[in-house]
Amino acid sequence: MAASINGVGGVGFGGLTCSTKTPLPSSRSSSFRVQMSVPVEDKKRNYTLQKSQEAFNAALNLMPGGVNSPVRAFKSVGGQPIFMDSVKGSHMWDIDGNEYIDYVGSWGPAIIGHADDEVLEALAETMKKGTSFGSPCLLESVLAEMVISAVPSIEMVRFVNSGTEACMSVLRLARTFTGREKIIKFEGCYHGHADPFLVKAGSGVATLGLPDSPGVPKATTSGTLTAPYNDIAAVENLFNSNEGEIAAIILEPAVGNSGFITPKPDFLEAIRRLTKENGAFLIFDEVMTGFRLSYGGAQEYFGITPDLTTLGKVIGGGLPVGAYGGRREIMEMVAPAGPMYQAGTLSGNPLAMTAGIQTLKRLKAPGTYEYLDRITRELVQGILNAGKKTGHAICGGHIRGMFGFFFTEGPVHNFDDAKKSDAAKFVRFYQGMLREGVYFAPSQFEAGFTSLAHSPEDIQKTVAAAENVLSKI
């Protein structure tokens, strides 16, 4: 596939170099040529990111910070943002020809592996019929039935295009149904970039050290109450001081946006009890954990059924998608069945539905989650053992195909605990692992992900690389 970008001198995609039309209005030099695709067989080369550097310099003139999502800019780990050229299975290749074992998985969706042949084949067949209809299609109902049958809390579902959109919509729904306005969220939990959630948020907000975001009106966040994750007493106090005013609690049942943090044994049960006692909804943000911790998500894994659930990532199989769902009586408040308005031109588009259907079919196969659990345990335990062997304070854990670790003795129960991790050491570790051909999320405050495509050999190579790097930092 070839593409041209106006204003970037000679950028080529897929091995084709394209000329451009107009120079960039900048003092930076914009005249360069990058051969984006490099034969992956040519692996015996010195580690270099020269072409990524050239591409990033051009991108800085085209997009804010040179990226379309902040964490990709490598601000918290330093060095050069990496421009990827291709992916397959558990591996990625950048435009300089470097190969990596990937533990980001497009931030979670690639649970069966990148560019899966069966998914690609199904997408190719679907594309012959068109990419977007703007009207109902049967594929929407197929995926809806799969989601409803899998997720305990969902009796009806509405598809959207992103996790942010799902969380924004479910919040509006909770307020509509309860007639209340206030919500409780947890410090370091990220529920997308809608205004009400950008209060003590995780993910890129935590990565860049942004406490909140300019441009968010105080009135928009005045109804957002926060508590430390895993702190039941703090939640009780919020209910007591805001009696009859709280519409819902929204949380990540296992946190992925402050690094990977699991709930204490009784935490989710206590939250479920408090919401019922106070007439508030419990919302599980399962954009990360849905279909990853188990086929029925974190709610099936932990045995706690929320009132509403948001989904994303995995259910799109690598294409943009989100969803929210819950009990029928609640969901029937959504237009056109009810008064709460929410819409989306590309919601339920046939490509995203197809990728989601094929992905969920694969996940339902026997042994799927046992395999994810086994390889992820070996990975995390191997890294922790390597850290301790080489004299570093380190802790971490996993659930099925989701994991994380921190450079601190721990334990880590909330965002404040996570911030005790040695950020400078993480940077050295991260850069060392890149040179060893291992790609983790470029932030201490992001979870990692394994996939069905990760082999025992991938895990062994990663653990060996980690011990090598940790012995030198």
Side-chain angles (χ1 to χ4, degrees):
M1 175 180 70
S4 63
I5 307 176
N6 288 341
V8 185
V11 175
F13 289 90
L16 299 178
T17 305
C18 308
S19 62
T20 57
K21 300 176 181 178
T22 57
L24 290 169
S26 170
S27 58
R28 292 190 194 89
S29 171
S30 62
S31 178
F32 69 94
R33 301 177 73 82
V34 181
Q35 189 75 13
M36 301 290 280
S37 182
V38 180
V40 297
E41 294 82 7
D42 187 8
K43 299 174 184 176
K44 295 182 179 180
R45 60 174 73 239
N46 293 327
Y47 185 73
T48 176
L49 295 173
Q50 179 182 348
K51 291 175 182 177
S52 276
Q53 180 68 66
E54 292 171 344
F56 185 59
N57 287 342
L60 286 168
N61 289 314
L62 302 169
M63 296 170 282
V67 295
N68 282 307
S69 192
V71 179
R72 301 176 193 174
F74 275 45
K75 290 287 188 181
S76 71
V77 294
Q80 170 58 50
I82 298 174
F83 279 57
M84 294 300 171
D85 178 64
S86 64
V87 292
K88 190 68 178 176
S90 61
H91 288 232
M92 303 195 298
W93 291 265
D94 67 24
I95 62 175
D96 285 277
N98 302 303
E99 181 178 357
Y100 307 89
I101 302 171
D102 175 32
Y103 293 102
V104 178
S106 192
W107 302 93
I111 192 169
I112 65 173
H114 289 294
D116 178 80
D117 289 341
E118 292 181 12
V119 174
L120 293 180
E121 182 179 351
L123 286 172
E125 287 300 310
T126 299
M127 279 193 290
K128 293 177 182 177
K129 297 182 177 181
T131 59
S132 177
F133 301 152
S135 62
C137 70
L138 291 176
L139 293 168
E140 296 171 277
S141 295
V142 174
L143 185 56
E145 286 182 347
M146 297 177 78
V147 169
I148 291 168
S149 67
V151 182
S153 67
I154 296 181
E155 295 176 357
M156 297 187 81
V157 66
R158 168 63 64 87
F159 291 113
V160 291
N161 294 292
S162 70
T164 290
E165 193 178 343
C167 290
M168 175 183 70
S169 302
V170 82
L171 174 56
R172 185 182 301 158
L173 177 57
R175 286 171 165 166
T176 298
F177 196 91
T178 63
R180 302 173 179 180
E181 293 189 1
K182 293 183 179 180
I183 63 164
I184 296 174
K185 72 172 291 289
F186 291 92
E187 297 168 8
C189 284
Y190 180 73
H191 307 291
H193 59 82
D195 286 358
F197 298 124
L198 288 181
V199 179
K200 298 185 178 179
S203 190
V205 180
T207 298
L208 299 176
L210 303 174
D212 296 291
S213 176
V216 177
K218 290 182 180 179
T220 305
T221 58
S222 61
T224 303
L225 312 174
T226 62
Y229 191 79
N230 274 320
D231 189 336
I232 291 298
V235 177
E236 289 178 330
N237 289 337
L238 288 175
F239 273 116
N240 290 336
S241 58
N242 297 271
E243 188 174 353
E245 298 181 89
I246 296 172
I249 293 179
I250 185 169
L251 79 162
E252 298 175 76
V255 180
N257 289 291
S258 298
F260 181 66
I261 303 174
T262 57
K264 291 180 179 179
D266 298 328
F267 177 65
L268 296 179
E269 290 89 341
I271 292 295
R272 177 68 283 189
R273 172 181 56 81
L274 285 171
T275 53
K276 286 183 176 180
E277 290 175 353
N278 289 275
F281 282 166
L282 174 59
I283 304 170
F284 272 12
D285 178 352
E286 295 224 44
V287 169
M288 278 193 178
T289 59
F291 291 93
R292 180 164 280 279
L293 301 196
S294 73
Y295 192 72
Q299 54 198 266
E300 179 185 76
Y301 181 87
F302 291 114
I304 303 294
T305 303
D307 299 292
L308 291 164
T309 299
T310 61
L311 298 168
K313 300 191 185 297
V314 168
I315 66 165
L319 274 70
V321 75
Y324 62 99
R327 297 198 311 271
R328 180 176 298 274
E329 62 177 320
I330 304 172
M331 292 300 295
E332 286 183 339
M333 296 291 288
V334 179
M340 191 218 87
Y341 193 75
Q342 176 269 313
T345 299
L346 294 175
S347 296
N349 73 81
L351 294 185
M353 299 297 97
T354 295
I357 290 165
Q358 294 301 317
T359 299
L360 297 196
K361 283 181 179 178
R362 294 281 292 283
L363 292 177
K364 202 171 182 179
T368 292
Y369 291 95
E370 290 79 5
Y371 182 78
L372 288 172
D373 188 63
R374 182 168 66 253
I375 62 168
T376 314
R377 178 184 290 109
E378 291 174 0
L379 172 69
V380 173
Q381 196 56 57
I383 292 173
L384 297 183
N385 289 343
K388 293 170 184 177
K389 179 179 179 180
T390 52
H392 297 281
I394 191 170
C395 67
H398 84 287
I399 299 177
R400 302 287 170 77
M402 190 172 174
F403 70 91
F405 51 88
F406 300 92
F407 285 107
T408 179
E409 290 291 349
V412 173
H413 293 307
N414 54 46
F415 188 40
D416 281 342
D417 291 342
K419 289 188 289 186
K420 296 173 184 176
S421 183
D422 189 332
K425 184 176 291 184
F426 178 81
V427 170
R428 296 195 297 274
F429 174 77
Y430 184 82
Q431 293 293 339
M433 292 300 282
L434 284 181
R435 290 188 290 273
E436 292 280 343
V438 178
Y439 190 82
F440 289 120
S443 169
Q444 174 67 92
F445 302 118
E446 298 285 357
F449 304 100
T450 53
S451 76
L452 297 177
H454 282 85
S455 66
E457 183 183 20
D458 288 332
I459 304 302
Q460 293 163 10
K461 286 182 178 179
T462 302
V463 171
E467 183 168 344
N468 183 38
V469 171
L470 288 167
S471 68
K472 298 176 181 178
I473 63 174

